[in-house]
Amino acid sequence: MTRHGFTLTAQGPFDFGATLRFVEDWPATGGLPSDGRALRFAYCAESDWLPIGVTVTAAPGGVAVATTRAAGPGIRGEVARILSLDVDGSGFAEAGETDPVLGDLQRKSPGLRPLCFWSPWEAACWAVIVQRSSMLIAARIKQRIAERYGARVTVDGEPYAAFPPPMTLLEAGGLGLPAQKEEWLRGLARAALDGVLTAEHLRALDPPEALAELRALPGVGPFSAGLILIRGAGAPDAFPGDEPRLFAILREAYGLPEDAPPAAYRKVAEAWRPYRSWASFLFRASGYGVPADER
C-alpha cells in the first residue's frame, strides 16, 4: 500500500512520548495498542468524511506522519489539531510562572499537550454514549459501533475500525444504546452534516458562543459542550463551565472549599490565559487521585 508522509513542527515545548503515555490510559480511543514508539489510528476525515489511517512517530522538533491516502491541507490540519500542534505553545510556560501550581504540573509533565478526539463529531458521539455510563463500558460500545458500521483501514499491517461518519449513523439502527441516545446521535449527525460540528466552525467562534451553540444540540449539556469544544475542536483557551471531576481536582490542588461556586474555578483559570484548555487538560491528566479511566 502506498504511504503518504509529511511532518509537523511544534512551536514551543512538545513531548510526543508523553502523548503516547497518555493515550495508553485514555479509554475514549477504544484501547489503542501502542509499542511505545508510534501512535496509530483510523478515522473519517472531517474534510471529506472518508476513512484514513494515520501513523505518527517522533521527529526532530515535532512528528513525522504517514497516512494511507494522500493528505492535503485539510487532513494535515486535522492531524495537527489532534496533537495540538496547530497552536503556538511558546507562551504556555509563562502561565506556569504566573501560577506556581500549574508550573509544578508543567515540570512533572514537560511537553505534554492535549490529545484531541479525531474529530468534534466523534467527540460529540462519545459525549452522548458515555452519559450515565462508565467510561470503560462506553468505550466498548463505541468500539462496537465502529466495528459494525465503520470502515476498516489497514495501518502498518494491522486493521483499525474507523468510527462511522455522520451520514452512516444517520441511517443506522440497533447501535446497542437506549432509544433516546440513538435519537440524539442522529440529531448530532444532522448537525455535523450541516457543518456545525466541525473544528473550523467551532474554532471560528468565541468560546462562550461556541459553547452556547453546542448546548443547543440534542443530548449536549454543559459538560458535553465543553468536551466537544476543548477535546474535539481543540480550542486552546476555553474553560469548561461545568466539569465535576476537574472541579474536584482543582479544589484539592488549590485548597478551595467544597462549596466553591463555579466563579471561583473561573477565577483560578484566569491566570492560564490564553491556554486555559491546555492547563485544564494537564490537571485532568495528572489525576490528583482520579483513576486513569476517569480522565
Side-chain angles (χ1 to χ4, degrees), residues 220-289:
V220 177
F223 171 78
S224 298
L227 174 75
I228 297 165
L229 179 62
I230 295 171
R231 296 290 295 282
D237 190 38
F239 184 69
D242 183 9
E243 190 174 340
R245 292 190 186 97
L246 175 61
F247 287 2
I249 292 168
L250 296 180
R251 279 198 301 273
E252 181 178 345
Y254 290 89
L256 298 175
E258 188 72 27
D259 60 352
Y265 302 102
R266 290 195 297 269
K267 183 178 180 180
V268 167
E270 282 299 307
W272 308 339
R273 288 180 179 269
Y275 299 99
R276 286 177 295 172
S277 300
W278 285 29
S280 299
F281 173 80
L282 281 191
F283 279 102
R284 286 295 303 268
S286 74
Y288 271 86

Side-chain angles (χ1 to χ4, degrees), residues 19-248:
T19 299
L20 289 176
R21 290 189 291 275
F22 172 81
V23 78
E24 290 174 355
D25 289 330
W26 190 28
T29 59
L32 286 178
S34 173
D35 58 8
R37 295 186 301 273
L39 172 64
R40 299 179 179 88
F41 58 94
Y43 77 110
C44 288
E46 187 176 275
S47 52
D48 56 16
W49 297 121
L50 297 177
I52 185 171
V54 180
T55 303
V56 185
T57 54
V63 295
V65 182
T67 57
T68 55
R69 61 185 177 91
I75 289 175
R76 293 182 184 216
E78 288 176 23
V79 176
R81 172 192 52 79
I82 289 167
L83 298 167
S84 291
L85 291 176
D86 60 336
V87 176
D88 185 345
S90 302
F92 188 36
E94 294 178 11
E97 294 170 2
T98 302
D99 182 340
V101 179
L102 173 60
D104 183 57
L105 208 54
Q106 289 173 326
R107 286 185 289 274
K108 291 177 181 177
S109 302
L112 176 60
R113 297 189 181 201
L115 178 68
C116 296
F117 283 83
W118 314 148
S119 67
W121 151 248
E122 192 163 340
C125 290
W126 167 258
V128 165
I129 294 169
V130 79
Q131 287 182 32
R132 299 185 180 181
S133 173
S134 78
M135 289 197 178
L136 293 178
I137 291 175
R140 294 190 189 105
I141 294 173
K142 178 173 175 285
Q143 183 65 19
R144 191 162 62 237
I145 292 172
E147 291 173 352
R148 180 174 181 182
Y149 293 103
R152 287 191 172 270
V153 183
T154 300
V155 184
D156 295 338
E158 295 294 329
Y160 287 75
F163 192 78
M167 63 281 288
T168 298
L169 279 198
L170 190 59
E171 304 297 331
L175 299 178
L177 292 166
Q180 178 66 83
K181 286 190 176 183
E182 294 199 8
E183 182 57 34
W184 284 342
L185 289 183
R186 285 190 285 271
L188 292 175
R190 286 188 283 269
L193 293 174
D194 288 341
V196 175
L197 275 177
T198 65
E200 180 180 9
H201 173 71
L202 294 172
R203 292 275 287 270
L205 303 174
D206 288 334
E209 185 181 353
L211 290 170
E213 192 168 294
L214 287 167
R215 286 195 297 270
L217 297 178
V220 177
F223 171 78
S224 298
L227 174 75
I228 297 165
L229 179 62
I230 295 171
R231 296 290 295 282
D237 190 38
F239 184 69
D242 183 9
E243 190 174 340
R245 292 190 186 97
L246 175 61
F247 287 2

